[in-house]
Each structure stands twice: as C-alpha cells, then as structure tokens.
Amino acid sequence: DAMVIQNPRYQVTQFGKPVTLSCSQTLNHNVMYWYQQKSSQAPKLLFHYYDKDFNNEADTPDNFQSRRPNTSFCFLDIRSPGLGDAAMYLCATSRERIYGYTFGSGTRLTVV
Amino acid sequence: EDQVTQSPEALRLQEGESSSLNCSYTVSGLRGLFWYRQDPGKGPEFLFTLYSAGEEKEKERLKATLTKKESFLHITAPKPEDSATYLCAGINYGQNFVFGPGTRLSVLP
C-alpha cells in the first residue's frame, strides 16, 4: 500500500544531543511537510519542500533543519534539542499544496 | 490573521446519541476545508474535503457540511470506535493549511 512511513515511532534523546527523524513516502507526492504537535494542540507547520524547494515557516526555530535528498525521503534534524522540543513530529505529503495531506503515524520525541 | 476555531473542545456522547462538531474559520480566500480524524499517538487520517458553501460529503456515520463561515461534522448514532480527536483545517490562497485545535470526542458504550 502506498503510504507515508516515519521512523522511529518513539525517540528518546538527551538534552542538547542532535537527533534526526526520518520520513519516507511511496506516493510520489511533490510536497512533503514537517509538523510539530504538542499535547492537545493543533499541528504546527515547521517547513515544507515542494520538490527540492525548501520553505521555512517564519517562526520555526533555527534549531530545526530539514533535508530532502530525493522524492521519497525527508529528514528532520534537531541540532540541540531542548525540553520544549518534546512533541509528536508529523510528516505529511500531498500531490500539490492545494490538496489534502496524507500523514505518517508520527514520531514521539522525548527529551531527557 | 487566518484562524480556525473548533467547538466544543471536548464532547462525551452515549453510543447512539447523535451530535455535531463545529469548525468556524476566518481564512481569507478559503480554497478548501478539510476534516481529519486523529487517534491518540497517531497521525491524522483524512476524512473529507469541502470546496464550496453548500457542499456536503458523507462517510459511514459522518457527514460534513460547509457554509461561508463554518463547517459542521455531523455524527449519526456514534459508536465507541468513533472516539478520537477531529481536526478541521482550512487552506487559503497562499496554499497554507491552518489547523484548528480539534474536538476530542468520547463515545461511551
């Protein structure tokens, strides 16, 4: 089945230790997104790629970076995680930005 | 500023007790209104897209409707497996999704 896969499902990292979250898709969608979702809150867009074009949201901290080496994969790098970065991180894809998203199952990040 | 609000924040229903969830939006140049279902610890699952006022879409016990200012998600005779958080999102001319905070629905057997 075509889908969006996030790895790992759960990630525990130490305060200040760089961490990378992974997302892959078999849908061949042009757009890939990274969202941060904290408990009982709406998902918050961090950035998105349209093909290879990177688009950062204005209020996304510099601590967060992303890479999209090819159509299928996208990575979220958190250079120095703080306690406030503990959240669910959601990857989503869409064929074009106007269309609905397909979300992955998310990665729950814990910072200790 | 574009905004999407949802009410109620949480809703508890008895099995079979029909109700509606509300999504109000102030999104300039709304191009689409989306409903998602999110189970705890999982990513949102797409339910419906509505593009114009008066449009309705149905799926099993769920029906989504859209007016010029709000959308409703009607749940008819809900079952415990309908328990989830329901997220509403609008997309504007800038092609940016604006999510609401969601409504947490609990259906008791």
Side-chain angles (χ1 to χ4, degrees):
Chain A
D1 286 344
M3 57 177 57
V4 180
I5 300 170
Q6 290 189 244
N7 284 304
R9 289 279 285 122
Y10 302 93
Q11 175 74 56
V12 180
T13 191
Q14 290 181 336
F15 182 94
K17 183 175 181 181
V19 65
T20 295
L21 309 183
S22 167
C23 177
S24 64
Q25 56 135 339
T26 59
L27 297 159
N28 203 33
H29 281 172
N30 291 317
V31 197
M32 295 188 77
Y33 309 82
W34 280 104
Y35 277 85
Q36 179 193 65
Q37 188 178 30
K38 297 188 176 180
S39 183
S40 300
Q41 294 183 18
K44 177 180 181 296
L45 181 64
L46 295 173
F47 21 60
H48 76 272
Y49 275 94
Y50 188 100
D51 196 12
K52 294 183 179 181
D53 293 332
F54 176 71
N55 296 272
N56 198 29
E57 292 300 298
D59 57 355
T60 298
D62 292 339
N63 198 26
F64 291 84
Q65 304 285 322
S66 184
R67 296 170 282 135
R68 188 179 185 185
N70 54 52
T71 300
S72 301
F73 284 88
C74 196
F75 299 97
L76 170 62
D77 300 308
I78 308 177
R79 292 192 297 188
S80 182
L83 297 178
D85 297 327
M88 173 76 86
Y89 289 88
L90 296 165
C91 174
T93 71
S94 64
R95 185 155 45 97
E96 295 291 336
R97 291 190 64 195
I98 187 63
Y99 298 126
Y101 297 174
T102 302
F103 281 89
S105 294
T107 294
R108 170 73 65 187
L109 178 69
T110 301
V111 182
V112 298
Chain B
E1 181 184 346
D2 292 336
Q3 195 171 8
V4 174
T5 59
Q6 293 185 246
S7 62
E9 183 177 329
L11 179 63
R12 297 181 73 177
L13 299 173
Q14 290 295 133
E15 184 172 2
E17 180 187 1
S18 301
S19 188
S20 295
L21 312 182
N22 175 266
C23 169
S24 295
Y25 62 89
T26 52
V27 176
S28 58
L30 184 81
R31 298 187 68 183
L33 192 291
F34 299 81
W35 282 97
Y36 288 86
R37 169 193 170 125
Q38 187 173 25
D39 292 304
K42 296 188 177 181
E45 175 189 346
F46 172 77
L47 293 174
F48 304 108
T49 309
L50 302 164
Y51 290 107
S52 56
E55 190 174 358
E56 298 183 352
K57 290 200 175 164
E58 287 189 67
K59 180 180 179 181
E60 296 180 356
R61 295 177 291 282
L62 300 176
K63 182 168 86 171
T65 61
L66 181 66
T67 73
K68 289 187 177 179
K69 293 185 178 180
E70 56 192 351
S71 178
F72 293 93
L73 184 66
H74 308 277
I75 303 175
T76 302
K79 299 182 177 181
E81 53 262 42
D82 295 322
S83 298
T85 295
Y86 290 85
L87 294 167
C88 168
I91 188 166
N92 59 22
Y93 272 119
Q95 300 183 354
N96 295 316
F97 260 66
V98 181
F99 276 93
T103 292
R104 291 192 310 280
L105 174 66
S106 300
V107 182
L108 307 176

